[in-house]
Amino acid sequence: MLIGRIDLLRLLYARILVPPAVLAELKHPAAPRPVQDWAVNVPDWVEVLSPKSSLVLGQLDLGESEAIALAAEVHADVVLMDEQAGRQEAVRRGLKVAGTLSVLDEAEQAGLVNFDAAIAELQKTSFRVSQAVLADIKARRSR
């Protein structure tokens, strides 16, 4: 959303599910304006779906907890999450996790975006990634 390429999700994944708590986080006044605008007018290719069971994990916020619970319930191919604690918990529960950088990498492999250009644009936004993580991803991509 921050670089205007939210359409990549629709192009890469057959089904996009967003739990209500995640949608509420995206609408929060502290969220970047493009994120808030998108969340207020969610496109029709996004399904807002509540998990049937609640998952309370003290180290995670409600959005991450709902995303993990929903992904487990529907046997999602992948759960999209950038927060480290949430990613670790999802992996611990046997879920495949992809973050923003993984999505951009997959999009480049599909011929949809230039990874380096997208990262350069992303770094101009509020998105934060450590240089160590970025170096690790670039090293894996060069193999």
Side-chain angles (χ1 to χ4, degrees):
M1 285 181 252
L2 293 175
I3 60 172
R5 295 307 312 264
I6 192 67
D7 62 308
L8 293 174
L9 296 180
R10 179 180 53 85
L11 297 169
L12 292 171
Y13 305 109
R15 188 174 181 203
I16 308 296
L17 303 175
V18 176
V22 170
L23 191 60
E25 289 175 7
L26 298 175
K27 291 178 181 178
H28 191 276
R33 175 59 56 194
V35 173
Q36 292 177 47
D37 292 345
W38 182 87
V40 169
N41 298 300
V42 176
D44 60 1
W45 49 267
V46 172
E47 296 176 59
V48 178
L49 188 62
S50 296
K52 292 178 181 147
S53 61
S54 64
L55 180 64
V56 179
L57 300 165
Q59 76 275 22
L60 303 182
D61 66 29
L62 184 58
E64 292 162 342
S65 296
E66 278 192 6
I68 291 169
L70 183 59
E73 286 175 14
V74 302
H75 306 286
D77 293 333
V78 65
V79 60
L80 302 176
M81 189 174 299
D82 282 319
E83 295 296 326
Q84 188 62 31
R87 293 170 63 89
Q88 289 173 343
E89 182 61 28
V91 168
R92 192 183 73 71
R93 292 172 179 269
L95 298 168
K96 180 181 175 190
V97 180
T100 299
L101 302 178
S102 296
V103 170
L104 291 173
D105 185 35
E106 187 176 346
E108 181 179 74
Q109 291 174 34
L112 300 171
V113 70
N114 176 288
F115 181 83
D116 292 329
I119 295 301
E121 283 299 308
L122 199 55
Q123 289 179 313
K124 295 176 188 173
T125 72
S126 59
F127 183 84
R128 296 292 168 251
V129 61
S130 73
Q131 289 304 313
V133 168
L134 199 51
D136 181 52
I137 289 171
K138 288 185 177 189
R140 275 187 280 153
R141 287 175 37 82
S142 65
R143 290 182 200 150

